[in-house]
Amino acid sequence: MKRTAITIVLAALVASATGCIVDRDLLKPTPHDSDITLGIDVLPHSAPATRAALEEWENTPVSVAYMFVDSQTAFDRNFTVRVEDIDDENNGQHVKTGMEYPADDSQVSFRGYYPVAEPDEAGVVTYDISKGDTDVMLSNTVSGSLTAPIGDKLVFKHLLTRVTFLMKCAPNQSYPEPVFGMKAAGATAIDRLMTTVSLDPGATTNPATYSVPGNVFCGDPDGFVIPYSYENPVVVEMMLEPDVALDLKVASLSSDKEINITSDASGIWTQLTTVGGEAGVRYTVELAFSGEVILAQRISACMWITGDQHLGGNNDVWW
């Protein structure tokens, strides 16, 4: 405050002595060396974007938990910032925290998470992922002090595995009844799928804890018609706990339908159904409907954040 006041007084004296118009920028508070500014890295995205998954920063609100080591024992405080889309030339964005480094040179640490949520008294944030439509992300931890300011950026990573189903009929075929969407469950009684994830920003290892076993349904409760082969497919996205063997079925009007795999050269379907998907990896399963038979074709996987990479499938063509 003293520096700002001195700047304003000097500017006023200069204006009075010279009769010149004062540059309004001189009257603005100047940033202090002790102000804390955080860098947030770009969020490389894969296409096409969907409503549920966060593909890029678009004035997106994220929570940033923080801890002053001289007065806190957990990341139990947070603030919300909005992150705008960033072009590659900027290689990131800097956001103001509204805080200053402690004058005693003690450290302050920050860790970001998404979606925005309030932590409990221990600094833990819990999300309901039972609908399969929540993209949960957590960043690294950055720390700094007055004499050693923060230089690293917050880098957000997807914590869930993402399965994208593209659904339409095989050529010259139709599907006779409405479909509601996709169901996911654990493949065995031991390997159960969890529907809640809790994040502990203070944990250096295993910051995500999964709990509450159950099933996940994604789709339209009113149902939809499977389009013909020459039409655009219906897209159903699921974001699920990683590393859990999955039992995946199509929820149709008469019953839940099994997905029949005649060939799995890539081994990806076997991975999903025996050991589960990896965190931060997107799996694409193209489903062909023929009568009441459902065939999976062109199963592929890619890193969620690096774009689509076809890793094999049943055929070289769609069907």
Side-chain angles (χ1 to χ4, degrees):
M1 291 296 294
K2 287 183 179 180
R3 281 183 285 181
T4 302
I6 291 172
T7 301
I8 295 173
V9 170
L10 289 175
L13 289 174
V14 171
S16 175
T18 63
C20 297
I21 298 175
V22 178
D23 186 344
R24 291 187 176 182
D25 287 337
L26 293 177
L27 303 179
K28 295 180 179 179
T30 56
H32 298 173
D33 293 337
S34 59
D35 290 346
I36 302 176
T37 301
L38 297 177
I40 298 181
D41 202 15
V42 296
L43 187 66
H45 57 281
S46 57
T50 64
R51 290 179 297 175
L54 183 62
E55 303 284 4
E56 59 188 79
W57 301 124
E58 294 180 314
N59 198 27
T60 308
V62 299
S63 288
V64 180
Y66 63 93
M67 180 175 67
F68 288 87
V69 298
D70 61 338
S71 61
Q72 292 175 250
T73 58
F75 283 87
D76 55 356
R77 306 174 196 175
N78 73 94
F79 59 88
T80 300
V81 295
R82 288 186 174 271
V83 187
E84 297 179 359
D85 192 21
I86 311 161
D87 59 47
D88 291 337
E89 293 180 0
N90 293 331
N91 194 30
Q93 182 185 96
H94 288 84
V95 297
K96 296 180 179 179
T97 65
M99 303 178 191
E100 293 186 348
Y101 288 108
D104 62 2
D105 206 34
S106 59
Q107 274 200 339
V108 58
S109 298
F110 298 86
R111 195 170 197 178
Y113 56 88
Y114 172 90
V116 170
E118 285 296 320
D120 62 17
E121 294 181 355
V124 176
V125 182
T126 300
Y127 298 102
D128 179 356
I129 56 173
S130 62
K131 295 181 180 179
D133 61 355
T134 302
D135 182 2
V136 180
M137 292 196 295
L138 184 67
S139 81
N140 55 323
T141 300
V142 297
S143 303
S145 63
L146 185 61
T147 58
I150 296 170
D152 295 330
K153 296 178 182 179
L154 294 177
V155 181
F156 285 79
K157 293 185 178 181
H158 302 279
L159 296 185
L160 304 181
T161 188
R162 178 178 174 187
V163 185
T164 302
F165 292 93
L166 306 179
M167 309 165 71
K168 64 180 180 179
C169 292
N172 303 315
Q173 299 294 325
S174 62
Y175 192 70
E177 62 183 24
V179 168
F180 298 102
M182 297 298 305
K183 285 185 177 181
T188 68
I190 297 176
D191 201 8
R192 297 180 297 177
L193 183 66
M194 300 299 172
T195 60
T196 296
V197 59
S198 297
L199 305 183
D200 181 1
T204 55
T205 59
N206 301 322
T209 301
Y210 297 89
S211 60
V212 188
N215 300 332
V216 175
F217 167 78
C218 292
D220 186 345
D222 293 328
F224 52 87
V225 176
I226 298 297
Y228 292 109
S229 61
Y230 51 82
E231 298 176 319
N232 292 328
V234 172
V235 179
V236 177
E237 287 271 34
M238 306 187 86
M239 277 159 282
L240 306 164
E241 178 190 4
D243 304 318
V244 175
L246 298 172
D247 178 22
L248 298 165
K249 291 184 173 65
V250 175
S252 193
L253 180 62
S254 59
S255 64
D256 293 342
K257 303 293 185 180
E258 299 286 345
I259 299 175
N260 301 308
I261 303 297
T262 56
S263 175
D264 184 25
S266 66
I268 293 174
W269 185 257
T270 300
Q271 177 191 346
L272 286 174
T273 55
T274 59
V275 298
E278 296 180 42
V281 175
R282 180 182 185 181
Y283 301 85
T284 302
V285 179
E286 299 173 359
L287 297 182
F289 288 71
S290 176
E292 293 190 3
V293 177
I294 303 165
L295 302 175
Q297 305 289 343
R298 281 182 59 94
I299 302 167
S300 62
C302 64
M303 290 305 295
W304 194 333
I305 61 173
T306 57
D308 188 28
Q309 178 184 358
H310 180 57
L311 299 181
N314 293 332
N315 298 307
D316 293 330
V317 294
W318 248 68
W319 310 110

